[in-house]
Amino acid sequence: MSYSEKVIDHYNNPRNVGSLPKGDTAVGTGLVGAPECGDVMKLQVRVNPETGVIDDAKFKTFGCGSAIASSSLATEWLKGKTLEQALEIKNVDIVQELSLPPVKIHCSVLAEDAIKAAIADYKRKQQDGQ
Amino acid sequence: MSSEARTLTLQSCRHCGAGAPAQVHFCPQCDRILTLARHGDYFSFFGLPRKLTIDLADLEQRFRALSRQFHPDYFYNASTPERLASLERSSYLNDAFRVLKQPLDRAEYLLKVEGLPSVGRHQDAKELPAGVLEEVFALNEELDDIRAAREAGATPDQLMARLDAARRPVEERAARQEAQLEALFSRWDRQVDEKSSPDVRRATLESLRDLIQERSYIANLIAAVNRERGES
């Protein structure tokens, strides 16, 4: 099995690798894992409190090329989206964009889960802050 | 259907038509080897209950005895269905033995035949005990740092000291997981003996599945640390 060009591009030049301050109330952090391969994925979003738009997204993934590419692509897509729009990102969109083979679909599911977990964490922080 | 009921399911001899319990291998009437039926499982094939604690010496004895009985050499002059049955039973026996002799493979197999969703589905952190994913993530980051330090020319002593420090908490967690696994094995076996309700048994299997998943992270991590040690 060979990786698609887009996967290789994201793998060699991952976008938005890094961390945002976890304690910041404007930052939501999602940490998810896939037990079958041991992959772990951390995805963070920073939301502009006035506009409700995601103005920054970072990830760090320990795993295979497809998992890294899926989370890299997810952070690219997240920037500039509202939370509602962000939640519309589905794993099948990632599968299509990266031409992931069936055995790698779980990597895209992991990325979708990471987005949801990060947004849930952000929303929890807003409620706790009130 | 309970496992007790399943072991009573009848198969029939293709040669003489006599009925036989599912877990026997030879026709009680004409002694011919029986065609391998689709029902049944590795445990019943060995004449064992569906329990997780297995005496390995006893398992091996059963394996050797059955291997001899099924051996294709003894069916050289037999009819085609019998030769086929001897091959099928020999091959099934080898698979069954390979799975049952390894405690983890045995446990995963039990989950499968008990109809639990397979081990290895994705999950998020909340389904794992608090802190497991965080620990896995932090150790992966430390391994990245150690690789960077190696590139920057750190001495093997320095790298080893960091790797040992990184390994300690995961090894402690691995030891705790082994103890939990043993406890769950005993709990399941007790519940089989006591014929506990399906709900009670299912809860045990779910805990077992979660623990096996958690364990695979830690096993992968320890393997990664050991790879780094080999390179330092």
PDB file of all heavy atoms in Angstrom, chain B residues 146 149 153-164 232:
ATOM      1  N   ILE B 146      14.270  13.069  23.605  1.00  0.00           N
ATOM      2  CA  ILE B 146      15.472  12.244  23.751  1.00  0.00           C
ATOM      3  C   ILE B 146      16.134  12.038  22.389  1.00  0.00           C
ATOM      4  O   ILE B 146      17.356  12.114  22.251  1.00  0.00           O
ATOM      5  CB  ILE B 146      15.120  10.893  24.429  1.00  0.00           C
ATOM      6  CG1 ILE B 146      14.746  11.147  25.904  1.00  0.00           C
ATOM      7  CG2 ILE B 146      16.283   9.898  24.328  1.00  0.00           C
ATOM      8  CD1 ILE B 146      14.189   9.939  26.634  1.00  0.00           C
ATOM      9  N   ALA B 149      17.920  15.136  21.593  1.00  0.00           N
ATOM     10  CA  ALA B 149      19.143  15.241  22.391  1.00  0.00           C
ATOM     11  C   ALA B 149      20.241  14.358  21.804  1.00  0.00           C
ATOM     12  O   ALA B 149      21.415  14.730  21.782  1.00  0.00           O
ATOM     13  CB  ALA B 149      18.856  14.845  23.845  1.00  0.00           C
ATOM     14  N   GLY B 153      24.020  15.352  20.167  1.00  0.00           N
ATOM     15  CA  GLY B 153      25.277  14.845  20.677  1.00  0.00           C
ATOM     16  C   GLY B 153      25.313  14.494  22.160  1.00  0.00           C
ATOM     17  O   GLY B 153      26.391  14.448  22.757  1.00  0.00           O
ATOM     18  N   ALA B 154      24.153  14.201  22.755  1.00  0.00           N
ATOM     19  CA  ALA B 154      24.148  13.789  24.160  1.00  0.00           C
ATOM     20  C   ALA B 154      24.858  12.443  24.298  1.00  0.00           C
ATOM     21  O   ALA B 154      24.853  11.640  23.369  1.00  0.00           O
ATOM     22  CB  ALA B 154      22.709  13.674  24.667  1.00  0.00           C
ATOM     23  N   THR B 155      25.475  12.203  25.456  1.00  0.00           N
ATOM     24  CA  THR B 155      26.215  10.954  25.643  1.00  0.00           C
ATOM     25  C   THR B 155      25.239   9.811  25.907  1.00  0.00           C
ATOM     26  O   THR B 155      24.124  10.037  26.394  1.00  0.00           O
ATOM     27  CB  THR B 155      27.152  11.046  26.858  1.00  0.00           C
ATOM     28  OG1 THR B 155      26.346  11.162  28.040  1.00  0.00           O
ATOM     29  CG2 THR B 155      28.089  12.228  26.747  1.00  0.00           C
ATOM     30  N   PRO B 156      25.646   8.572  25.592  1.00  0.00           N
ATOM     31  CA  PRO B 156      24.790   7.419  25.866  1.00  0.00           C
ATOM     32  C   PRO B 156      24.348   7.370  27.331  1.00  0.00           C
ATOM     33  O   PRO B 156      23.205   7.009  27.616  1.00  0.00           O
ATOM     34  CB  PRO B 156      25.684   6.229  25.515  1.00  0.00           C
ATOM     35  CG  PRO B 156      26.620   6.755  24.490  1.00  0.00           C
ATOM     36  CD  PRO B 156      26.868   8.187  24.869  1.00  0.00           C
ATOM     37  N   ASP B 157      25.231   7.743  28.262  1.00  0.00           N
ATOM     38  CA  ASP B 157      24.864   7.726  29.682  1.00  0.00           C
ATOM     39  C   ASP B 157      23.692   8.653  29.964  1.00  0.00           C
ATOM     40  O   ASP B 157      22.756   8.302  30.668  1.00  0.00           O
ATOM     41  CB  ASP B 157      26.065   8.147  30.550  1.00  0.00           C
ATOM     42  CG  ASP B 157      27.049   6.988  30.722  1.00  0.00           C
ATOM     43  OD1 ASP B 157      26.711   5.878  30.244  1.00  0.00           O
ATOM     44  OD2 ASP B 157      28.123   7.212  31.315  1.00  0.00           O
ATOM     45  N   GLN B 158      23.803   9.864  29.405  1.00  0.00           N
ATOM     46  CA  GLN B 158      22.727  10.840  29.612  1.00  0.00           C
ATOM     47  C   GLN B 158      21.403  10.324  29.029  1.00  0.00           C
ATOM     48  O   GLN B 158      20.350  10.413  29.666  1.00  0.00           O
ATOM     49  CB  GLN B 158      23.086  12.174  28.936  1.00  0.00           C
ATOM     50  CG  GLN B 158      24.226  12.913  29.622  1.00  0.00           C
ATOM     51  CD  GLN B 158      24.734  14.079  28.787  1.00  0.00           C
ATOM     52  OE1 GLN B 158      24.700  14.036  27.552  1.00  0.00           O
ATOM     53  NE2 GLN B 158      25.220  15.116  29.458  1.00  0.00           N
ATOM     54  N   LEU B 159      21.497   9.755  27.821  1.00  0.00           N
ATOM     55  CA  LEU B 159      20.278   9.268  27.170  1.00  0.00           C
ATOM     56  C   LEU B 159      19.667   8.113  27.954  1.00  0.00           C
ATOM     57  O   LEU B 159      18.453   8.058  28.162  1.00  0.00           O
ATOM     58  CB  LEU B 159      20.597   8.823  25.741  1.00  0.00           C
ATOM     59  CG  LEU B 159      21.050   9.929  24.786  1.00  0.00           C
ATOM     60  CD1 LEU B 159      21.504   9.330  23.457  1.00  0.00           C
ATOM     61  CD2 LEU B 159      19.939  10.942  24.544  1.00  0.00           C
ATOM     62  N   MET B 160      20.527   7.187  28.413  1.00  0.00           N
ATOM     63  CA  MET B 160      20.035   6.036  29.175  1.00  0.00           C
ATOM     64  C   MET B 160      19.333   6.472  30.444  1.00  0.00           C
ATOM     65  O   MET B 160      18.299   5.928  30.810  1.00  0.00           O
ATOM     66  CB  MET B 160      21.184   5.100  29.554  1.00  0.00           C
ATOM     67  CG  MET B 160      21.514   4.044  28.548  1.00  0.00           C
ATOM     68  SD  MET B 160      20.091   3.145  27.911  1.00  0.00           S
ATOM     69  CE  MET B 160      20.910   2.253  26.621  1.00  0.00           C
ATOM     70  N   ALA B 161      19.923   7.453  31.131  1.00  0.00           N
ATOM     71  CA  ALA B 161      19.328   7.921  32.379  1.00  0.00           C
ATOM     72  C   ALA B 161      17.925   8.474  32.113  1.00  0.00           C
ATOM     73  O   ALA B 161      16.974   8.190  32.852  1.00  0.00           O
ATOM     74  CB  ALA B 161      20.217   8.989  33.023  1.00  0.00           C
ATOM     75  N   ARG B 162      17.788   9.228  31.015  1.00  0.00           N
ATOM     76  CA  ARG B 162      16.460   9.783  30.699  1.00  0.00           C
ATOM     77  C   ARG B 162      15.483   8.685  30.294  1.00  0.00           C
ATOM     78  O   ARG B 162      14.314   8.706  30.662  1.00  0.00           O
ATOM     79  CB  ARG B 162      16.573  10.809  29.563  1.00  0.00           C
ATOM     80  CG  ARG B 162      17.137  12.141  30.025  1.00  0.00           C
ATOM     81  CD  ARG B 162      17.137  13.159  28.923  1.00  0.00           C
ATOM     82  NE  ARG B 162      15.798  13.664  28.604  1.00  0.00           N
ATOM     83  CZ  ARG B 162      15.587  14.648  27.739  1.00  0.00           C
ATOM     84  NH1 ARG B 162      16.600  15.203  27.105  1.00  0.00           N
ATOM     85  NH2 ARG B 162      14.362  15.061  27.506  1.00  0.00           N
ATOM     86  N   LEU B 163      15.983   7.717  29.517  1.00  0.00           N
ATOM     87  CA  LEU B 163      15.100   6.629  29.078  1.00  0.00           C
ATOM     88  C   LEU B 163      14.623   5.792  30.265  1.00  0.00           C
ATOM     89  O   LEU B 163      13.464   5.395  30.334  1.00  0.00           O
ATOM     90  CB  LEU B 163      15.817   5.742  28.057  1.00  0.00           C
ATOM     91  CG  LEU B 163      15.896   6.319  26.642  1.00  0.00           C
ATOM     92  CD1 LEU B 163      16.897   5.547  25.792  1.00  0.00           C
ATOM     93  CD2 LEU B 163      14.527   6.297  25.977  1.00  0.00           C
ATOM     94  N   ASP B 164      15.550   5.547  31.206  1.00  0.00           N
ATOM     95  CA  ASP B 164      15.161   4.763  32.383  1.00  0.00           C
ATOM     96  C   ASP B 164      14.118   5.496  33.205  1.00  0.00           C
ATOM     97  O   ASP B 164      13.150   4.904  33.675  1.00  0.00           O
ATOM     98  CB  ASP B 164      16.387   4.455  33.249  1.00  0.00           C
ATOM     99  CG  ASP B 164      17.232   3.346  32.618  1.00  0.00           C
ATOM    100  OD1 ASP B 164      16.683   2.598  31.792  1.00  0.00           O
ATOM    101  OD2 ASP B 164      18.432   3.258  32.947  1.00  0.00           O
ATOM    102  N   SER B 232      20.601   3.827  21.693  1.00  0.00           N
ATOM    103  CA  SER B 232      21.412   4.801  22.456  1.00  0.00           C
ATOM    104  C   SER B 232      22.771   4.208  22.830  1.00  0.00           C
ATOM    105  O   SER B 232      22.949   3.009  22.820  1.00  0.00           O
ATOM    106  CB  SER B 232      20.677   5.235  23.720  1.00  0.00           C
ATOM    107  OG  SER B 232      19.522   5.944  23.349  1.00  0.00           O
TER     108      SER B 232
END
